[in-house]
Amino acid sequence: MRPLPWRAAKLVEIRQETRTARTLAFAVPGWPGHLAGQHVDVRLTAPDGYSTQRSYSLAAPEDGDRVELTVELVADGEVSPYLTEVLEVGDLVELRGPVGGWFVWRPESARPVLLVAGGSGLVPLMAMIRARRRSAGLAPFHLVYSIREPAQRLYPAELDRPDPGLRVDYLYTRATPGGYGRPPGRITRADLLTADPDADCFVCGPTGFVEAAADHLIALGHDAARIRTERFGPTGG
Amino acid sequence: MAIVSRGFQGRRREESVKLPPGQYLTYDFPVLSAGPTPRIPLDRWEFAIDTEAGQTHRWTWPELMALPAEQPTVDLHCVTKWSKLATHWRGVSLDVLMADVETTAEYALVYSYGGYTTNLPLEDLLDGKAWIAYAFEGEELEPQHGGPARLLVPHLYLWKSAKWVRGIRLLHEDWPGFWETAGYHDYGDPWREQRYQGD
Amino acid sequence: MSTENDYLDGNTLAGPLAELFAVDLTVAEGKCVSCGRNGPIADLRVYGPEPGLVARCPGCEEVILRLVRTPDAAWLDLRGVVALRVPLP
Ligand SMILES: Cc1cc2nc3c(=O)[nH]c(=O)nc-3n(C[C@H](O)[C@H](O)[C@H](O)COP(=O)(O)OP(=O)(O)OC[C@H]3O[C@@H](n4cnc5c(N)ncnc54)[C@H](O)[C@@H]3O)c2cc1C
Ligand SMILES: [Zn+2]
């Protein structure tokens, strides 16, 4: 009778993205489809009945019964170590979704888009990039992606491939590739200076990162009403 | 029925005969928050007891520090199912603070900096059962755990031990607080597992 | 553990609210009772999930919405919003 049921999801494929992150593809019978930017709640239940749930963004646009998540390991976490290290093809979890109609990008929009990602905050923004590519969308996209070091980049090959109308800037906070112009450091106002001041902004990542990036955008004159945020939680200290 | 995920254990849960029903043991000190952490400078801190007759008794920080302190060692039981045993506190017993307060009230509504409230019978604050605590494990109480001072009523679930305590209003009727108006139990005895309204 | 940055966006209420409502309430807009700020539920600052979800106004930090899930009920408090405009396309 509940509007949105928990659905059984069977893991059908694993892709290791980095040393600490992997993409999990689930088969979810009866999946109703979704928009880029939406998320699901994942529920895990132990044999003794203990259960807990976390939110994960949908990493890819709608594809029948197939649902993809990309999970980054949080050391000492309860759920992400299970999803990134224990779960195997054939195992079951429960999913509720898709949910969240605010942090979404619709392919029919032609407005310029600025995506600002911190770490695993790239995941829902990648769903938008993929949805744009699939729909052969004309909206110009600009991704500013902050990660600790080059080896932490999610989907590097896919983002390196030319995708007309998509511009990608990397910010490294600890270590850069050799000869990289920008010294390592957290996101600053200067990193967002070349962004279209009129763009629809989607900012996603650890809470502190989202806070900083959204503040920079507002200081640069972006309209607060056009900045949408999705905070993933604390950075763990 | 929920589907069991193979190999999922969750955080290590240790059950023990010493614990109230449904609780498990934890060794860290989880922080649950319902809002931003208030920061109260000590020179502006004050604690008040407001009686049903409209009288207010107030203490500044130096006045609280001048009162005799106790060092209770108590077990904590959080409604979110973790328990932490043998924690060491320092604070002033409510018996000391209530000594000169004239009241026939039966209930207390505890209120905090930041707007939090919680209710309990007045007798649960008396006879050595409750403290205004300002030190934890030998250190001054950190803001995230309720510093500069929090109520400590360890025989009830921990949400009754209001962080950032600012005062206690004495009332003839039970006046439900922040969590009590949203489904949590008015009394909250962990040993009777009174988590939610109706338990 | 961080204490200043431990809130999420109202977006994360979408799942828990979907247990109660067939429409997505996170896109509904309302006015804060305390400071008059207008905005969608998705923009609120959410603390929790335990012992309950508490959504506060990003302008004045007052409580807008609370949601507690007990084993056999959901308690929903919308005390801090004047009215919600729910888009029904
Ligand atoms: C709407 C939404 C969408 C999300 N989408 C994704 C996604 O696509 N991919 C993804 O990997 N995660 C995503 N997250 C984060 C995810 O829900 C979990 O918070 C994360 O996986 C950590 O869970 P855990 O059980 O492993 O850690 P917990 O046991 O919850 O926490 C363990 C410790 O890690 C800290 N911590 C908690 N969350 C984080 C974090 N995000 N980063 C660093 N430290 C943290 C805590 O403070 C704690 O000290 C999303 C969160 C939200 C709200
Ligand atoms: Zn407000």
Side-chain angles (χ1 to χ4, degrees):
Chain A
M1 208 196 73
R2 295 216 176 105
L4 197 64
W6 288 100
R7 294 172 203 273
K10 181 184 268 192
L11 189 66
V12 292
E13 192 191 329
I14 298 174
R15 271 199 317 273
Q16 197 72 34
E17 302 284 1
T18 67
R19 213 167 41 78
T20 51
R22 65 185 196 178
T23 293
L24 307 170
F26 294 94
V28 191
W31 183 252
H34 60 265
L35 295 167
Q38 288 193 290
H39 67 273
V40 295
D41 293 337
V42 173
R43 180 165 77 180
L44 301 177
T45 302
D48 66 358
Y50 170 80
S51 114
T52 191
Q53 61 193 59
R54 297 289 186 280
S55 300
Y56 291 97
S57 304
L58 292 152
E62 179 177 334
D63 181 14
D65 283 357
R66 185 183 167 98
V67 166
E68 284 194 15
L69 312 178
T70 302
V71 181
E72 174 83 44
L73 173 72
V74 172
D76 306 330
E78 179 171 35
V79 168
S80 62
Y82 176 79
L83 294 178
T84 52
E85 290 167 352
V86 180
L87 198 70
E88 287 172 10
V89 168
D91 288 344
L92 290 171
V93 304
E94 286 176 290
L95 291 189
R96 176 172 69 190
V99 290
W102 182 251
F103 194 81
V104 299
W105 179 76
R106 291 183 166 79
E108 50 286 11
S109 169
R111 292 185 40 74
V113 170
L114 173 67
L115 307 171
V116 186
S120 55
L122 178 62
V123 177
L125 308 183
M126 195 63 189
M128 298 178 188
I129 289 172
R130 289 167 167 166
R132 172 187 179 276
R133 192 188 308 135
R134 175 192 290 184
S135 67
L138 296 175
F141 267 38
H142 179 185
L143 168 66
V144 178
Y145 180 21
S146 167
I147 52 269
R148 209 170 309 148
E149 59 201 19
Q152 277 231 313
R153 290 202 300 160
L154 291 173
Y155 326 116
E158 189 178 345
L159 284 175
D160 284 346
R161 225 173 290 142
D163 188 347
L166 170 68
R167 166 180 165 197
V168 183
D169 294 336
Y170 293 97
L171 314 177
Y172 300 97
T173 58
R174 298 267 176 79
T176 64
Y180 201 71
R182 180 189 182 278
R186 287 170 186 260
I187 190 164
T188 66
R189 199 171 300 179
D191 295 318
L192 297 166
L193 220 46
T194 60
D196 186 335
D198 216 29
D200 289 341
C201 306
F202 295 90
V203 184
C204 185
T207 298
F209 173 85
V210 170
E211 207 86 339
D215 284 352
H216 293 325
L217 289 173
I218 287 176
L220 286 170
H222 287 260
D223 180 356
R226 275 213 281 275
I227 304 174
R228 299 192 176 196
T229 55
E230 181 133 279
R231 292 167 172 85
F232 274 9
T235 44
Chain B
M1 262 314 282
I3 290 166
V4 170
S5 288
R6 181 203 57 82
F8 177 67
Q9 286 298 329
R11 254 190 247 296
R12 225 162 90 82
R13 298 182 301 290
E14 236 176 88
E15 299 196 15
S16 145
V17 282
K18 279 199 284 183
L19 297 181
Q23 296 294 109
Y24 64 89
L25 207 52
T26 176
Y27 296 97
D28 56 4
F29 195 171
V31 175
L32 304 180
S33 70
T37 302
R39 309 273 163 175
I40 311 108
L42 292 183
D43 57 359
R44 271 191 274 149
W45 184 92
E46 108 176 345
F47 175 74
I49 295 178
D50 315 290
T51 73
E52 73 281 14
Q55 283 181 317
T56 301
H57 301 251
R58 295 175 201 280
W59 292 265
T60 63
W61 188 258
E63 285 166 349
L64 184 79
M65 292 302 115
L67 295 174
E70 295 179 6
Q71 304 205 43
T73 296
V74 300
D75 300 339
L76 307 178
H77 306 296
C78 178
V79 71
T80 62
K81 302 200 170 174
W82 56 265
S83 291
K84 186 173 172 61
L85 302 184
T87 58
H88 302 94
W89 298 81
R90 181 178 174 88
V92 176
S93 166
L94 255 298
D95 295 317
V96 172
L97 295 160
M98 286 292 293
D100 295 328
V101 176
E102 296 238 354
T103 182
T104 58
E106 284 179 47
Y107 296 98
L109 180 69
V110 184
Y111 56 96
S112 295
Y113 293 93
Y116 183 77
T117 55
T118 187
N119 56 301
L120 68 173
L122 178 55
E123 64 178 5
D124 286 87
L125 291 174
L126 303 175
D127 299 325
K129 293 199 283 287
W131 298 265
I132 300 298
Y134 50 79
F136 171 69
E137 302 298 350
E139 311 264 347
E140 70 181 43
L141 186 57
E142 286 178 63
Q144 59 175 342
H145 290 302
R150 75 182 294 169
L151 179 66
L152 182 64
V153 250
H155 69 291
L156 301 178
Y157 280 126
L158 197 58
W159 90 79
K160 300 284 182 181
S161 294
K163 297 185 202 176
W164 315 296
V165 68
R166 177 180 202 166
I168 298 176
R169 188 159 300 141
L170 304 177
L171 300 162
H172 285 304
E173 278 166 47
D174 203 3
W175 187 294
F178 187 80
W179 290 122
E180 293 84 356
T181 50
Y184 283 94
H185 201 274
D186 279 319
Y187 188 63
D189 178 354
W191 296 96
R192 286 184 280 164
E193 211 172 352
Q194 293 170 332
R195 298 180 196 275
Y196 304 108
Q197 295 281 338
D199 282 352
Chain C
M1 217 179 275
S2 155
T3 52
E4 299 312 322
N5 279 328
D6 52 8
Y7 60 86
L8 302 174
D9 294 278
N11 301 339
T12 117
L13 295 171
L17 285 171
E19 230 189 346
L20 281 77
F21 300 102
V23 294
D24 178 13
L25 272 200
T26 64
V27 302
E29 303 205 21
K31 188 198 279 286
C32 170
V33 166
S34 152
C35 75
R37 184 184 189 277
N38 273 301
I41 295 290
D43 252 3
L44 301 179
R45 298 182 171 180
V46 174
Y47 295 81
E50 293 189 304
L53 291 158
V54 178
R56 291 177 180 266
C57 173
C60 70
E61 294 187 339
E62 277 301 317
V63 176
I64 302 276
L65 172 156
R66 299 186 296 160
L67 179 58
V68 170
R69 186 67 165 89
T70 75
D72 59 0
W75 292 65
L76 175 64
D77 168 10
L78 281 164
R79 59 161 83 176
V81 67
V82 176
L84 278 180
R85 179 186 177 276
V86 184
L88 296 173

